[in-house]
Amino acid sequence: MSAVVDTHGHDGHGHDAHGGGYHGAGGIMRWVTTTNHKDIGTLYLWFSFIMFMTGGAMAMAIRLELFSPGIQFFNPDLFNQFTTMHGLIMLFGAIMPAFVGFANWQIPIMIGAPDMAFARLNNWSFWLLPFAATLLVMSFFTPGGAPGVGWTLYAPLTVQMGMGMDLTIFAVHLLGMSSILGSINIITTILNMRAPGMTMMRLPLFVWTWLITAYLLVAAMPVLAGAVTMTLTDRHFGTSFFNAAGGGDPVLYQHIFWFFGHPEVYIIALPAFGVVSQVLPAFSRKPLFGYASMVYATSAIAILSFIVWAHHMYTVGMPVQGQLFFMYATTLIAIPTGVKVFNWVATMWKGSLTFETPMLFAIGFLFLFTLGGFTGLMLSLVPIDIQLHDTYYVVAHFHYVMVAGALFAAFAGVYFWFPKWTGKMYDETLGQWHFWLTMIFFNMIFFVQHFLGLAGMPRRIPDYPLIFETWNKISSIGAFGFGLTQLLFLYIILKAIRSGEKAPQKPWEGADSLEWTHLPTPVPYHSFETPPVLK
Amino acid sequence: MEHGASTTTRQAHYHVPQPMPWPIMGSFSLFCMALGSVILFNGASAGWTGIALGFMVLLYMMFRWFGDVIRESEGGKYGRWEDLSFRWGMSWFIFSEVMFFAGFFGALFWARVMSVPDLASLEHNTYLWPNFTSHWPSAGPGFEEKFSPMGAWGLPALNTVLLLSSGVTITLAHWGLIANQRGKLLFWQGMTILLGVLFLICQAVEYAHAYSDLNLKLTTGAYGTTFFMLTGFHGFHVTCGAIMLTVIWFRCLSGHFKPEHHFAFEGVAWYWHFVDVVWLGLFIFVYWL
């Protein structure tokens, strides 16, 4: 049995169906026209790194301004633009594409598929992103600058912004399109492309978490598209969605936005759970503890994520019955999340642990994400949230989830799968340095922000009273260290690509999914054209 | 509907297509249209250039991309395995569309149940709008002009009949395709298109009536906003659906599809039923109740 690779039309080369290498167009056209899941995964990962640096530069600017009280470098309007764009770029440009990159690389080789189900659509899902990012960044150079409304894009402020807001709206449309098309592709791939014998309950957990994430995306992203469309028509066509004089309501925007926004939190967190659920068993040399309960817990989190959105809005004005419902529903999420944390710890229990870089990042994830979960639990309680709403406590909370959760898991995943993807080993010593510096500087930035928030420092304000100066200085120094450390990450990756040692087929003793057991290192350009035989 | 294929196991090979330039062309066209729209909305008519350029590139891209897919399909490259992928893909695409409409229905319900009654509460009567009373249809407390709401039992009821009948005719066309009766297929598919176009004409007449006789506009507060945005997006989907039906009609005319292999037809039929169901929601909640 050989694979059928279509050879009609576009280039005269034809494909060697059995060959491992790449034979198509050369140079940049390879990357522009590719239908190969590995190429597209690589594009996603590099794109997300570039966006990570862009959003990171804005974070540096924010911390620079907050180094001292008073206005030092940026006027408040520009500061607001930085906080807005930092959020949008990091969420939609860095973290989400990073995990879609993992999905592209890993799902086909983990389930024994020849490629993604819709290879051309896959290309489009990626190539929408650079154009969307261009629109987003362009908004800085329009009259009035980028929107300075916060990444949540709340009405009525958005209705009053300049043309940068319109660019952002269309950028969100393209980003949403990319996510929806990508998710449809992922769902279809997982449901329809599994090798014979790869039953649903044998899927690696990373694949499961992405299946559930993709459902969340298909359900939540169109709602965001609706919300920004309403903003657009309110801005330019005189509709009254968010205009109280016309019978509309600015609070409506918040409801629609958070109906998208809370699932979005899990869209980012679930693939991170998936990566960690691959890494921890591999370095504990034990199977994942409680596999089935992990699947059910992930599904439970996903379902609950659609009925908790108004916990972001306790202070906006809501009947007490509403507050109670959303508080109880939110605290319920702690149960499946607790199941997951328990299972991860139990996976390591009595394992023969080693602490290579991926494992370090996974354990770092486990500690810090759990901390972020606890602060989340506190914020879910109405009386506490009313005190802490819009303070640095919230900033600290969601950075523990987004950075120490999602980003740490992404780093764990990169170090874990890098040898498989490239056939080269990274420098373990430098990897360890990267982890420890990231870990220390991360806590330096964000742990102290809990204190700032509890003491009442509001978020999204470029100035603060003298009393907050010490913690802000520590936080800013941590931020600069964190930023520099990520350049070390770039160096580690480039060094490994150029001169890394050759990696064996299975560099990690305890790794047991298909890509390690059935494919050579580096993974050939076309893999599993013939489905693997699974026992 | 596997049409007898379900007894066979899936083939050993999955069709993985060649690299192609159409996706990036699509991204470029959407970028031009987005940028053109931003420029246009901010008062420079030069934006039309970007929209027109983008739209032309988009049409060309769709023509070529779909052309490739149709050639592959007719060339026998798609077996049952690929067919199943298309089914999953189309289902979840339609689901995402459902969620898009859900957002706008949410806005309608919010205005009717929450914001309009709240604007007539004691608090708002005391401090902002003393004379506003809660009612629906309402254009909100700040809207001075008189307007009439759109009645349900004139053109909208006729439109309901038209769309529901088109759901029947497309099923008859499908039965014709399965039975390999081309004449029946083409006739009923043609009737479906005709009903769709009639629907759109009725809707255009209805909009003209709203603007000229009822003083009901997009800017008529919450009622005008939700009325025109919901029916407008639906009308846009009907337009797309009618174009898709027409493409399928021409494909049927050229002898495409087999009784057991015609997912393009079915996908369009699913889409058509989806716009039908959305219309029922609109008829009940926007026009009638």
Side-chain angles (χ1 to χ4, degrees):
Chain A
M1 287 193 292
S2 67
V4 173
V5 177
D6 179 23
T7 49
H8 92 278
H10 306 295
D11 66 335
H13 292 292
H15 274 233
D16 174 10
H18 297 280
Y22 173 74
H23 301 288
I28 188 153
M29 285 317 283
R30 163 179 175 180
W31 299 99
V32 170
T33 61
T34 182
T35 48
N36 180 285
H37 73 99
K38 301 180 186 85
D39 282 352
I40 295 169
T42 306
L43 284 169
Y44 265 110
L45 288 165
W46 276 111
F47 172 80
S48 96
F49 188 76
I50 293 166
M51 286 289 109
F52 175 58
M53 285 290 147
T54 313
M58 289 170 197
M60 296 300 113
I62 292 166
R63 286 317 315 174
L64 193 64
E65 178 57 48
L66 292 173
F67 189 76
S68 306
I71 304 295
Q72 335 289 327
F73 298 97
F74 309 113
N75 66 47
D77 194 31
L78 187 59
F79 182 88
N80 285 344
Q81 296 176 24
F82 282 148
T83 54
T84 305
M85 283 294 148
H86 165 73
L88 285 172
I89 287 176
M90 285 304 201
L91 287 175
F92 291 106
I95 296 188
M96 285 167 67
F99 285 112
V100 183
F102 282 112
N104 260 292
W105 253 105
Q106 287 305 124
I107 289 174
I109 59 179
M110 282 177 137
I111 64 175
D115 204 298
M116 298 291 278
F118 305 113
R120 288 177 283 225
L121 198 63
N122 200 17
N123 175 302
W124 203 19
S125 306
F126 172 75
W127 278 107
L128 282 165
L129 292 179
F131 290 95
T134 310
L135 286 173
L136 207 54
V137 175
M138 253 166 89
S139 65
F140 273 109
F141 307 101
T142 56
V149 297
W151 82 276
T152 49
L153 307 176
Y154 276 5
L157 211 47
T158 44
V159 181
Q160 299 153 7
M161 286 277 143
M163 73 188 286
M165 189 63 222
D166 298 319
L167 287 167
T168 305
I169 288 171
F170 283 110
V172 169
H173 273 303
L174 293 192
L175 293 163
M177 245 183 95
S178 157
S179 292
I180 293 167
L181 298 178
S183 305
I184 291 172
N185 207 347
I186 286 170
I187 295 173
T188 307
T189 304
I190 297 173
L191 294 181
N192 194 33
M193 304 292 285
R194 281 168 290 127
M198 178 60 81
T199 57
M200 290 305 278
M201 289 315 269
R202 288 177 76 180
L203 287 176
L205 206 78
F206 175 74
V207 180
W208 257 113
T209 56
W210 245 115
L211 178 64
I212 293 164
T213 304
Y215 281 126
L216 290 180
L217 277 165
V218 174
M221 276 306 197
V223 179
L224 176 67
V228 294
T229 305
M230 291 174 200
T231 308
L232 187 75
T233 58
D234 267 18
R235 285 167 58 77
H236 295 293
F237 302 107
T239 57
S240 298
F241 285 111
F242 311 130
N243 175 10
D249 189 353
V251 176
L252 167 65
Y253 177 85
Q254 298 189 20
H255 280 289
I256 301 179
F257 177 83
W258 285 113
F259 183 84
F260 146 81
H262 201 77
E264 168 73 9
V265 173
Y266 296 102
I267 286 163
I268 284 166
L270 295 186
F273 294 173
V275 171
V276 169
S277 303
Q278 299 302 128
V279 173
L280 285 177
F283 294 93
S284 306
R285 289 158 185 82
K286 271 178 66 192
L288 184 69
F289 184 89
Y291 172 88
S293 69
M294 285 299 234
V295 172
Y296 299 136
T298 312
S299 315
I301 292 173
I303 291 162
L304 286 172
S305 77
F306 281 107
I307 55 163
V308 298
W309 74 89
H311 67 214
H312 298 269
M313 304 164 51
Y314 286 146
T315 59
V316 84
M318 163 184 336
V320 75
Q321 297 92 327
Q323 292 181 327
L324 283 175
F325 170 79
F326 284 106
M327 176 168 81
Y328 292 142
T330 306
T331 44
L332 266 183
I333 294 185
I335 297 169
T337 312
V339 168
K340 297 189 87 86
V341 172
F342 176 83
N343 283 347
W344 287 323
V345 175
T347 301
M348 291 194 289
W349 180 254
K350 291 193 174 173
S352 17
L353 305 182
T354 50
F355 298 95
E356 287 89 344
T357 312
M359 182 64 163
L360 287 177
F361 272 108
I363 296 174
F365 164 95
L366 193 49
F367 272 92
L368 298 183
F369 176 81
T370 306
L371 244 169
F374 282 141
T375 54
L377 207 48
M378 284 180 65
L379 289 171
S380 74
L381 307 174
V382 177
I384 299 179
D385 181 78
I386 287 170
Q387 302 296 314
L388 297 177
H389 191 87
D390 259 346
T391 68
Y392 262 82
Y393 193 86
V394 177
V395 177
H397 156 69
F398 69 71
H399 281 91
Y400 266 76
V401 180
M402 295 288 150
V403 181
L407 183 67
F408 273 36
F411 282 143
V414 169
Y415 284 112
F416 185 56
W417 282 304
F418 183 86
K420 195 75 215 173
W421 296 341
T422 61
K424 308 277 182 64
M425 287 304 283
Y426 63 89
D427 185 323
E428 184 61 44
T429 316
L430 288 180
Q432 306 255 338
W433 272 99
H434 177 220
F435 168 73
W436 285 107
L437 290 174
T438 301
M439 181 81 177
I440 291 164
F441 284 130
F442 170 81
N443 283 294
M444 210 168 140
I445 312 171
F446 293 111
F447 200 78
V448 297
Q449 292 185 1
H450 291 115
F451 310 147
L452 287 170
L454 288 167
M457 179 169 161
R459 64 192 282 211
R460 293 172 173 166
I461 308 281
D463 192 5
Y464 52 82
L466 265 177
I467 190 169
F468 298 134
E469 192 182 5
T470 313
W471 293 131
N472 269 297
K473 279 211 157 42
I474 292 172
S475 183
S476 287
I477 293 167
F480 304 142
F482 189 91
L484 286 176
T485 306
Q486 304 325 310
L487 296 179
L488 173 64
F489 172 65
L490 178 64
Y491 172 75
I492 294 170
I493 294 300
L494 292 178
K495 178 169 179 258
I497 291 172
R498 284 171 64 92
S499 58
E501 281 175 42
K502 198 172 156 18
Q505 176 174 343
K506 207 173 106 170
W508 317 119
E509 197 185 356
D512 62 353
S513 45
L514 283 189
E515 79 274 27
W516 308 106
T517 54
H518 282 61
L519 288 175
T521 294
V523 185
Y525 194 67
H526 295 291
S527 44
F528 292 134
E529 293 176 322
T530 309
V533 179
L534 302 176
K535 289 188 194 77
Chain B
M1 284 179 229
E2 297 298 331
H3 305 307
S6 56
T7 48
T8 57
T9 53
R10 79 177 187 195
Q11 75 270 24
H13 318 300
Y14 190 84
H15 176 75
V16 179
Q18 276 285 26
M20 66 192 313
W22 316 133
I24 187 117
M25 208 179 268
S27 299
F28 174 75
S29 74
L30 293 178
F31 179 78
C32 288
M33 285 164 77
L35 205 56
S37 304
V38 171
I39 293 167
L40 182 69
F41 295 166
N42 286 278
S45 57
W48 281 116
T49 321
I51 297 175
L53 173 73
F55 191 66
M56 283 188 300
V57 176
L58 185 70
L59 283 184
Y60 177 77
M61 179 281 276
M62 285 165 58
F63 199 74
R64 296 298 304 267
W65 190 341
F66 290 144
D68 280 355
V69 174
I70 290 168
R71 260 188 302 279
E72 284 168 16
S73 176
E74 290 302 307
K77 304 227 186 236
Y78 299 157
R80 179 167 167 266
W81 197 3
E82 289 84 358
D83 195 62
L84 205 53
S85 283
F86 291 136
R87 280 162 201 277
W88 280 118
M90 193 67 193
S91 312
W92 289 105
F93 171 70
I94 289 174
F95 176 69
S96 79
E97 292 268 51
V98 169
M99 291 308 290
F100 181 79
F101 275 98
F104 284 89
F105 272 104
L108 171 69
F109 296 144
W110 185 266
R112 293 183 62 164
V113 179
M114 303 296 286
S115 67
V116 170
D118 191 50
L119 286 165
S121 66
L122 180 65
E123 200 180 359
H124 287 100
N125 279 341
T126 312
Y127 295 111
L128 277 171
W129 290 295
N131 302 318
F132 184 65
T133 50
S134 175
H135 54 279
W136 190 263
S138 167
F143 193 82
E144 304 292 337
E145 294 172 47
K146 284 258 174 284
F147 74 93
S148 313
M150 182 64 69
W153 298 108
L155 274 182
L158 177 63
N159 263 349
T160 309
V161 175
L162 288 176
L163 265 198
L164 288 180
S165 322
S166 76
V168 175
T169 55
I170 200 169
T171 306
L172 293 173
H174 193 195
W175 289 350
L177 177 52
I178 292 169
N180 216 2
Q181 296 167 341
R182 286 280 151 168
K184 187 179 169 189
L185 162 64
L186 286 168
F187 175 75
W188 289 115
Q189 179 80 354
M191 285 305 288
T192 312
I193 298 166
L194 188 68
L195 289 167
V197 171
L198 276 177
F199 172 91
L200 287 169
I201 292 170
C202 286
Q203 193 162 21
V205 171
E206 182 194 312
Y207 277 16
H209 172 61
Y211 265 77
S212 54
D213 306 332
L214 303 179
N215 195 29
L216 173 59
K217 303 181 171 121
L218 181 62
T219 48
T220 308
Y223 179 70
T225 296
T226 50
F227 175 81
F228 280 106
M229 290 299 283
L230 273 162
T231 57
F233 268 119
H234 176 262
F236 173 70
H237 280 75
V238 174
T239 310
C240 292
I243 294 170
M244 284 151 67
L245 287 170
T246 311
V247 172
I248 295 293
W249 190 83
F250 277 105
R251 286 189 64 188
C252 295
L253 191 67
S254 330
H256 290 194
F257 305 129
K258 296 189 197 69
E260 70 288 343
H261 180 87
H262 53 261
F263 180 69
F265 179 97
E266 278 180 86
V268 172
W270 290 358
Y271 191 83
W272 195 249
H273 289 309
F274 151 71
V275 295
D276 216 353
V277 171
V278 173
W279 175 260
L280 285 181
L282 289 179
F283 184 72
I284 293 168
F285 294 110
V286 176
Y287 290 98
W288 183 11
L289 297 179

